[in-house]
């Protein structure tokens, strides 16, 4: 069995989800190749080569892999996919974008967002916002899989795989990235944060998220939000934790003014320790919280920030 | 231009589903069903394109059991012009749906196909991208803003960490994200009018597609249940617990 993992990176370093996907790959089999598509792959490819369990790194360089489109990444993956029994990528907006294209062109099913490897053809994946876990078996010749990062430990370093150049595929020209507007923040990324402070509709408005930011900065935490808070326009969508946002599992998740809708719980209930601060003692969030504080967040959050100082 | 919107009938987002005791699936008998929320956003976007003159006809398509007609009628009541149901009682997985939709697109020749980014039942997030691949069309997934300019579209997409602007040639496939728009409510007069709008029923055979599933579901289980912890009296106690008991800060 030969397994191909598509690396997600920011043109400087591997994104954390790649390491979790490599772990899933090593649970399927031992022959793991990582593909790095980039405008300038040297640094990222060298980093991937040092990941334990990786036996080969392919580096494909072309200007159109700098801000890659789904069409171009899929075309590159398809140029070598036939040599593999499994193709994996992290289940991030990056992986979700091009992997189904790869699967459709190979005429195989995609197995989305697996949370466990049962055997090389059988996997567990959450459905219905994580309210059920389905064990599915694929008889397709090539298994195209996206990996839920929080379900697998990140692969360690300690490898020394050779890096080989892979020929780029010509730009399909079907679409082009004309701009990017990334949220600039000194705080850690949601997907990789050890602690997350999240706000919900109870925050009242976007301005009030400053209370959470102050607390987050004390804790070295990332700031997240519920769908309700995103819906209400308090914060950008990339803050969203939940079924249709990001799935996170930090050491500590502090839910502030979040009632605990099914859709939100789907994105954070695997966190190690959950703290809920809500003035409604009946809020469903308290059913999953390790520590619940029934209080007015506008008093409790500043008090907590001060107490940690 | 003609716009095609795919809509899926799913368990309503407010329903907490229960896993069947025999582990074969989830119990959806007598459960409220609704249009997948992201598909509703797709229908709304098409209607807005029509209202600003960029779109001339909206065709909505659903696939599955006869009851999907209700979902299509909702889309017609929102403002779609005509509906197609690809009717089958068989289990449809994303690849099969994409193949059936491709057959409908080949027939209808829309300039833009809009799908929800993900259905809230199987959470697969695949069909739009698969349809684009099968048609060899460009795609713009997770859209939060759409602007049509002649033979091209500019789409702002939600990506991890922010937003990306994509310029794509038409025809294309777009999948919707949450912030694209807020779907309108249907009014009673429009529900009445929708009953008279055309709804065509097709069978997968007629489209020349084999919709057989590729994945076999071996079992469906409840996830491990998380136990509720304790309430703390005040912030001081919370900090003490996090430091002493959880040893996390």
């Amino acid at each position: 069995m030969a397994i191909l993992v598509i690396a997600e990176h920011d043109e400087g370093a591997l994104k954390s989800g790649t390491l979790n996907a490599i772990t899933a790959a090593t649970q399927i089999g031992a022959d793991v190749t990582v593909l790095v598509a980039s405008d300038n792959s040297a640094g990222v490819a060298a980093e991937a080569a040092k990941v334990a369990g990786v036996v080969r790194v392919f580096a494909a360089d072309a200007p159109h892999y700098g801000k890659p489109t789904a069409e171009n990444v899929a075309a590159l993956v398809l140029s070598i996919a036939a040599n593999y029994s499994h193709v994996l990528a992290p289940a991030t907006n990056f992986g979700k974008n091009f992997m189904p294209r790869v699967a459709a062109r190979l005429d195989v099913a995609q197995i989305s967002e697996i949370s466990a490897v049962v055997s090389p053809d059988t996997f567990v994946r959450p459905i219905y916002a994580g309210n059920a876990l389905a064990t599915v078996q694929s008889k397709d010749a090539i298994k195209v899989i996206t990996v839920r990062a929080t379900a697998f430990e990140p692969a360690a370093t300690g490898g020394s795989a050779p890096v080989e150049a892979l020929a780029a595929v010509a730009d399909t020209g079907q679409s082009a990235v004309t701009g990017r507007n990334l949220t600039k923040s000194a705080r850690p990324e949601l997907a990789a944060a050890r602690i997350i402070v999240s706000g919900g509709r109870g925050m009242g408005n976007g301005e009030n998220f400053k209370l959470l930011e102050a607390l987050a900065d004390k804790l070295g935490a990332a700031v997240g939000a519920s769908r309700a808070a995103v819906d209400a326009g308090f914060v950008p969508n990339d803050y969203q934790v939940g079924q249709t946002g990001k799935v996170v599992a930090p050491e500590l998740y502090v839910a502030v003014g979040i009632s605990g809708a099914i859709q939100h719980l789907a994105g954070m209930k695997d966190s190690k320790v959950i703290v809920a601060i809500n003035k409604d003692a009946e809020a469903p969030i308290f059913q999953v919280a390790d520590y619940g504080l029934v209080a007015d967040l506008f008093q409790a959050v500043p008090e907590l920030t001060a107490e940690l100082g | 231009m003609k716009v095609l919107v795919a809509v899926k009938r799913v368990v309503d987002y407010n329903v907490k589903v229960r896993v069947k005791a025999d582990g074969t699936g989830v119990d959806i008998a007598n459960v409220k069903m609704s249009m997948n929320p992201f598909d509703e956003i797709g229908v709304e976007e098409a209607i807005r394109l029509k209202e600003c003159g960029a779109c001339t006809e909206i065709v909505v398509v659903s696939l599955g059991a006869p009851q999907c007609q209700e979902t299509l009628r909702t889309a017609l009541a929102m403002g779609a012009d005509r509906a197609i149901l690809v009717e089958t009682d068989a289990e449809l997985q994303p690849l099969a749906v994409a193949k059936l939709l491709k057959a409908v697109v080949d027939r209808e020749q829309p300039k833009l196909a809009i799908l929800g980014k993900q259905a809230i039942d199987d959470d697969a997030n695949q069909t739009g991208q698969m349809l684009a691949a099968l048609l060899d069309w460009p795609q713009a997934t997770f859209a939060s803003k759409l602007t049509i300019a002649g033979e091209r579209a500019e789409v702002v997409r939600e990506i991890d960490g922010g937003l990306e602007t994509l310029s794509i040639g038409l025809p294309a496939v777009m999948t919707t994200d949450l912030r694209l728009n807020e779907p309108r409510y249907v009014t009673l007069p429009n529900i009445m009018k929708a009953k008279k709008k055309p709804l065509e029923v097709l069978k997968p055979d007629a489209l020349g597609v084999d919709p057989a599933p590729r994945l076999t579901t071996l079992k469906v289980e409840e996830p491990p249940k998380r136990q509720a912890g304790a309430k703390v009296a005040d912030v001081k106690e919370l900090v003490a617990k996090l430091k002493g008991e959880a040893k996390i800060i």
Side-chain angles (χ1 to χ4, degrees), chain A residues 33-79:
Chain A
T33 300
V34 174
L35 169 60
V36 177
S38 170
D39 189 12
N40 177 16
S41 69
V44 178
E47 187 189 350
K50 291 196 189 80
V51 177
V54 175
V55 301
R56 186 183 308 100
V57 175
F58 278 139
D61 279 81
H64 55 273
Y65 298 142
K67 289 193 177 78
T69 63
E71 295 83 357
N72 282 331
V73 179
L76 177 67
V77 174
L78 286 164
S79 74

Side-chain angles (χ1 to χ4, degrees), chain A residues 244-261:
Chain A
T244 62
K246 293 190 172 73
V247 177
V248 298
E251 299 274 309
L252 174 62
Y253 190 90
V254 184
V256 181
I258 291 176
S259 63

